[in-house]
Amino acid sequence: MAILPFKRVMCANRGEIAVRVFRASTELGFRTIAIFSEEDRVHLHRYKADEAYLVGKGLEPVAAYLAEDEIVELAKRHEVDAIHPGYGLLSERASFARKCRDAGIVFIGPTPEAIDALGDKVAARKIAQAAGVPVVPGTPEPVRTIEAARAFADKVGYPVMVKASAGGGGRGMRVVRAAAELAEALERAGSEARKAFGNAELFIEKLVLRPKHIEVQILGDNHGNLVHLFERDCSVQRRHQKVVEYAPAWSLPLDLRERLAQDALKIARQVDYTNAGTVEFLVAGDGPDAGAHYFIEVNPRIQVEHTVTEVITGRDLVQAQILIAQGHKLSDPE
């Protein structure tokens, strides 16, 4: 595979991650392109780029950064070679990755096919099972009726977790500790998921008690090479949002940490994963399955917490993303 001669890199995002992408791109010698909504016209990321352009005139701020067609057309007009989506917003939209590809612009991230396969949590569970990786007992398909939800919860026993099939970030999730709470939890989680992700589908899992929440950083190139960069412990959370993250996960046995890393690679290989991603697991802390680990989801993008891994490995993950998108091998010198 020939190395693509990038000259101009856009970040289709805002705030800290856009600044991060511009720093990495500048250090690699590329000219940087920012986009900004009307409300963000004086925000820092606009001034950290070599060029900046307004998008989504007349739209709400978030909607402006989700204007896929306008962003791609703007990139074409200004001869952008590659677009980094950052995290959030367009980063897990396979439709945007496809539009970039169709326009001859490199999407700095996994393929649209990998995003499609892993972006839906129900589909990702099936991929993990096909790879021989344990998953939390859950509904094999999204729940369509309250009767189906009750039947599953009665079978596995309370407490259970109602979860949105799409998206992440703790949205569309509710813990249900008794049958009387189930209907309201489904209604609230579905409403929240619809607003956040445009998809109200939900599934239900058995609640893992007092778990450790562990995530494994993976990185794959376009030549079939795939590695993990160890794990991060993100067990300290509030409302399903991570508050403290550290690496390595020193409270877990070394052999368990290695099993988690290998299971992450098994899942990634099922979809020929490329670029950066994070595979997340729960390790049960209480109950009859204490110490057992379960796959929960893949985030097919760079994460906010990627800098924790950078500290322990010395690897610039955003630069790695860009170099992989250019066609470099993981083994190539940075």
Side-chain angles (χ1 to χ4, degrees):
M1 177 179 176
I3 304 302
L4 301 175
F6 289 177
K7 294 181 180 179
R8 297 163 64 81
V9 175
M10 172 188 283
C11 183
N13 212 302
R14 60 181 178 178
E16 185 276 336
I17 187 57
V19 174
R20 177 74 181 84
V21 170
F22 298 148
R23 190 188 82 194
S25 300
T26 298
E27 290 173 352
L28 290 171
F30 306 133
R31 191 166 180 82
T32 54
I33 317 297
I35 60 173
F36 61 94
S37 68
E38 290 178 300
E39 286 79 2
D40 292 345
R41 61 189 177 277
V42 296
H43 278 206
L44 181 63
H45 79 276
R46 173 184 178 181
Y47 299 102
K48 287 293 185 180
D50 296 310
E51 303 171 30
Y53 300 98
L54 173 70
V55 294
K57 187 174 183 179
L59 296 176
E60 294 292 324
V62 172
Y65 293 100
L66 296 177
E68 298 182 13
D69 293 332
E70 182 180 351
I71 292 169
V72 171
E73 285 304 312
L74 186 152
K76 288 171 60 178
R77 192 160 62 248
H78 293 284
E79 299 181 327
V80 166
D81 299 301
I83 297 179
H84 193 302
Y87 42 65
L89 298 173
L90 295 172
S91 64
E92 294 187 48
R93 291 206 175 189
S95 57
F96 182 67
R98 284 194 179 88
K99 287 173 182 176
C100 289
R101 184 168 64 187
D102 292 345
I105 299 168
V106 175
F107 179 80
I108 302 174
T111 64
E113 292 76 19
I115 297 173
D116 267 337
L118 298 170
D120 181 277
K121 293 183 178 65
V122 174
R125 284 169 54 88
K126 294 178 181 178
I127 290 168
Q129 289 172 308
V133 176
V135 301
V136 180
T139 54
E141 303 292 341
V143 290
R144 309 292 184 188
T145 65
I146 184 63
E147 290 77 17
R150 284 178 178 144
F152 174 79
D154 289 341
K155 179 181 177 181
V156 300
Y158 291 91
V160 297
M161 174 77 82
V162 174
K163 300 175 73 171
S165 296
R171 296 186 179 93
M173 297 173 65
R174 293 290 187 280
V175 174
V176 181
R177 301 190 181 278
E181 302 171 6
L182 185 57
E184 183 179 1
L186 289 168
E187 181 180 350
R188 289 181 176 273
S191 176
E192 189 173 75
R194 184 183 297 105
K195 291 176 182 177
F197 316 123
N199 182 345
E201 288 193 334
L202 305 168
F203 68 105
I204 303 177
E205 288 181 340
K206 176 67 177 172
L207 184 67
V208 179
L209 298 175
R210 295 179 58 83
K212 286 284 187 180
H213 191 152
I214 309 296
E215 53 190 31
V216 177
Q217 178 71 57
I218 59 171
L219 201 61
D221 64 24
N222 298 313
H223 303 269
N225 303 304
L226 182 70
V227 299
H228 71 81
L229 291 116
F230 310 103
E231 78 288 339
R232 303 186 291 260
D233 188 317
C234 51
S235 303
V236 181
Q237 300 185 11
R238 181 175 182 269
R239 296 181 179 178
H240 311 300
Q241 291 279 43
K242 300 160 190 174
V243 177
V244 176
E245 187 140 352
Y246 62 88
W250 51 264
S251 65
L252 297 181
L254 187 59
D255 63 332
L256 175 55
R257 288 156 52 190
E258 180 60 24
R259 289 202 303 274
L260 292 172
Q262 293 306 316
D263 279 352
L265 295 178
K266 288 178 185 177
I267 293 167
R269 290 189 186 103
Q270 287 288 112
V271 295
D272 297 323
Y273 196 89
T274 57
N275 218 271
T278 302
V279 187
E280 302 199 12
F281 299 89
L282 294 180
V283 178
D286 282 345
D289 61 343
H293 72 277
Y294 304 100
F295 164 79
I296 52 173
E297 65 181 356
V298 177
N299 291 310
R301 53 174 170 80
I302 197 75
Q303 285 192 264
V304 176
E305 309 90 337
H306 72 275
T307 52
V308 176
T309 294
E310 290 180 329
V311 169
I312 66 167
T313 62
R315 188 76 185 258
D316 186 315
L317 292 181
V318 177
Q319 283 195 14
Q321 285 189 286
I322 297 169
L323 292 170
I324 288 168
Q326 269 195 290
H328 287 279
K329 295 180 179 179
L330 292 176
S331 57
D332 289 347
E334 293 187 4

